Amino acid sequence: MIDIGERALAEDQLAALLELMHQHGVRPESLASTARESRVSARAAGLAARPLARAPESEDRSEAAFAWRTVRSGQVIRHHGHVTVLGDVNAGGEIIAGGNVLVWGRLRGTVHAGALGDRKAVICALELAPTQLRIADLIARAPEGGAGRFPEVAFVENDQIGVEPWETYRK
Amino acid sequence: MSRVITITSGKGGVGKTTTTANLGTSLAMQGAKVAVVDADIGLRNLDVVMGLENRIVYDLVDVIEGRCRLPQALIKDKHFPDLCLLPAAQTRDKDAVSKDDMIALSNQLRAEFDYVLFDSPAGIESGFRNAIAGADEVVIVTTPEVSAVRDADRIIGLCEAFEKGHPRLILNRLKPRMVSRGEMMSVEDVLQILAIDLLGVVPDDEAIVTATNRGEVAVLDRGSLAGRAFIDIARRIGGEQVPFMALEEQAGVIDRFFGMFGRRPRGSER
């Protein structure tokens, strides 16, 4: 059985998923989802479909996660949506987000925005002095010499992660 | 109301044991009944620093395993009868005790003393977890070096996870002249990263090394700047408002003054 939670899969998406599973020798017989569209797709693909009463409790299903604290060395914030931290992210701390990451403080740790493949994701911080930045499949080290003491934004441009002061980026 | 305080750091060699010995002695000087406990089982040190090594008969593991009663294992300090040491076992390792053992031990000590100071081992494993198990408060010791500060940050995160309240910071071995030359992290730099309350700053002081090697503590040496810093910290632990020493300014003035005569007072920066 495949449990896809509340994702809505169209027929062609499910077909692609099944194709991939078949390649790895996995042949599911049924699919469970809270989304009706996914169940319709499943029946069309010849799978038994059953509704899923509720989303798994442990997972935060909201669009954005919010943390009002210092993210310290060894601590990780992992969220499928956007992440906002009101506080510093220290070196050795890590944020992994499906969406954008906003740090209202000093960013010295490692951040992965758009971790599910979204190259349009951005990372911004009041002081951007990260150990490493990742957006989607791209990785960048911080430039030597440290950050300016002003808000900056990191984003993907020409297949590279670039950084610009917020004041010029917003225009 | 007795207080159980664990002194820890993450990184080794930043001065946990020296801090425990000096704070324990300072608190006893102020009239409190104090027990210092060496929780670094297998790497016994606190007894050496306090010059009590040759008086050990029983140790912490003997108490926990019931081979002796607690008062039999407690060693009275050479100078202050109200200061006692509970030494670590040297022939065993961290697995000889459990968290519950340590909590029970803290409670037993709490009944007899005003302050119980646990000297934690380095690291984040069971030895550290055991050392903070019974603590009401945690004091983090770090030096102004990036690796020590990084480890302190990790430890603060773990203390939060174990719900040990807000740890307070002792910044050890600061060299004010290096800071003023911009070659060492300043107090502000460290506080900006760790974002916790500062309990005190201890200047780097050669007198600590000589005192330790003799099995004496620096707080008994009136000329030692580090000793004075530890006394101030102990007063702050006791709840007094003690202003911070103006280390950077002091070093500057003293250097300039004595620089003219080509010598320097004892206990100041090299």
Side-chain angles (χ1 to χ4, degrees):
Chain A
M1 188 194 72
I2 330 171
D3 177 348
I4 59 163
E6 57 189 20
R7 281 174 201 83
L9 289 188
E11 275 181 48
D12 57 327
Q13 289 174 313
L14 181 63
L17 174 66
L18 290 173
E19 169 68 27
L20 201 64
M21 293 175 93
H22 290 170
Q23 278 171 20
H24 290 86
V26 184
R27 295 187 178 277
E29 291 177 346
S30 64
L31 174 142
S33 174
T34 53
R36 210 180 76 87
E37 187 188 354
S38 302
R39 297 198 297 273
V40 172
S41 303
R43 286 189 199 100
L47 294 180
R50 66 179 187 79
L52 201 63
R54 51 180 171 77
E57 277 171 50
S58 59
E59 226 173 304
D60 185 351
R61 284 277 153 197
S62 57
E63 268 304 295
F66 179 71
W68 191 338
R69 63 186 172 96
T70 304
V71 179
R72 299 184 181 278
S73 176
Q75 297 179 333
V76 185
I77 293 181
R78 216 184 288 264
H79 185 70
H80 73 280
H82 311 299
V83 171
T84 301
V85 176
L86 196 50
D88 295 350
V89 178
N90 281 353
E94 222 176 307
I95 295 175
I96 302 165
N100 305 310
V101 176
L102 166 62
V103 177
W104 189 258
R106 293 181 197 87
L107 169 51
R108 304 189 195 85
T110 294
V111 171
H112 192 173
L116 303 172
D118 180 9
R119 282 197 176 191
K120 287 204 273 305
V122 298
I123 300 166
C124 28
L126 290 186
E127 212 176 297
L128 195 66
T131 311
Q132 204 183 79
L133 291 180
R134 302 176 192 167
I135 298 177
D137 54 333
L138 302 172
I139 300 183
R141 265 184 301 122
E144 303 288 330
R149 301 220 150 183
F150 45 81
E152 292 185 294
V153 189
F155 55 95
V156 175
E157 197 177 38
N158 305 326
D159 293 340
Q160 273 194 326
I161 299 180
V163 174
E164 210 177 295
W166 168 245
E167 284 302 331
T168 55
Y169 177 84
R170 66 193 296 188
K171 292 161 190 161
Chain B
M1 182 64 186
S2 351
R3 287 157 68 185
V4 179
I5 305 172
T6 296
I7 288 114
T8 189
S9 68
K11 191 173 183 300
V14 298
K16 285 180 296 295
T17 302
T18 309
T19 300
T20 308
N22 280 285
L23 290 185
T25 307
S26 309
L27 287 164
M29 282 163 73
Q30 291 161 26
K33 289 189 75 179
V34 183
V36 289
V37 181
D38 192 344
D40 198 350
I41 296 159
L43 290 169
R44 189 162 79 192
N45 271 168
L46 188 53
D47 54 315
V48 182
V49 170
M50 295 175 71
L52 300 172
E53 188 181 11
N54 54 8
R55 306 178 194 206
I56 296 176
V57 180
Y58 295 111
D59 58 47
L60 185 149
V61 176
D62 291 323
V63 175
I64 282 172
E65 294 182 347
R67 273 187 297 277
C68 70
R69 288 174 297 106
L70 178 60
Q72 291 176 291
L74 288 171
I75 301 164
K76 271 199 171 52
D77 182 58
K78 289 185 286 190
H79 308 281
F80 300 96
D82 278 343
L83 174 62
C84 286
L85 164 73
L86 180 58
Q90 184 67 326
T91 54
R92 305 289 295 273
D93 63 26
K94 314 285 185 257
D95 302 325
V97 298
S98 73
K99 249 187 207 174
D100 292 338
D101 293 334
M102 294 299 268
I103 293 171
L105 179 69
S106 338
N107 287 336
Q108 238 181 311
L109 288 163
R110 202 191 285 275
E112 302 293 326
F113 296 91
D114 301 318
Y115 291 97
V116 181
L117 306 184
F118 276 86
D119 180 19
S120 154
I124 56 172
E125 296 83 10
S126 63
F128 155 72
R129 284 156 208 244
N130 287 338
I132 63 163
D136 308 315
E137 302 163 43
V138 177
V139 170
I140 312 264
V141 181
T142 192
T143 56
E145 292 158 82
V146 281
S147 52
V149 172
R150 185 72 58 87
D151 291 358
D153 192 42
R154 177 88 168 100
I155 287 286
I156 296 164
L158 290 173
C159 289
E160 286 166 357
F162 294 131
E163 297 179 350
K164 286 291 164 190
H166 297 290
R168 289 191 285 175
L169 185 73
I170 294 178
L171 184 56
N172 196 15
R173 279 194 226 135
L174 189 83
K175 301 186 183 204
R177 289 179 68 206
M178 284 186 74
V179 173
S180 58
R181 288 200 300 264
E183 294 164 357
M184 182 179 258
M185 293 171 93
S186 68
V187 180
E188 290 72 29
D189 292 338
V190 175
L191 287 180
Q192 195 196 60
I193 293 172
L194 297 181
I196 60 173
D197 288 343
L198 183 67
L199 197 50
V201 179
V202 182
D204 191 48
D205 185 352
E206 286 182 348
I208 289 274
V209 180
T210 51
T212 303
N213 289 344
R214 290 199 319 269
E216 290 291 343
V217 287
V219 290
L220 296 174
D221 174 358
R222 282 169 187 279
S224 163
L225 212 55
R228 294 208 321 255
F230 279 122
I231 290 173
D232 284 354
I233 292 170
R235 287 168 62 195
R236 288 188 199 109
I237 288 176
E240 270 183 74
Q241 297 286 334
V242 186
F244 287 97
M245 271 188 222
L247 289 172
E248 280 152 52
E249 212 172 298
Q250 197 173 356
V253 172
I254 291 171
D255 276 337
R256 248 175 282 144
F257 182 73
F258 285 90
M260 292 190 291
F261 303 99
R263 65 188 179 91
R264 228 162 261 145
R266 204 172 138 216
S268 81
E269 260 313 298
R270 287 183 296 283

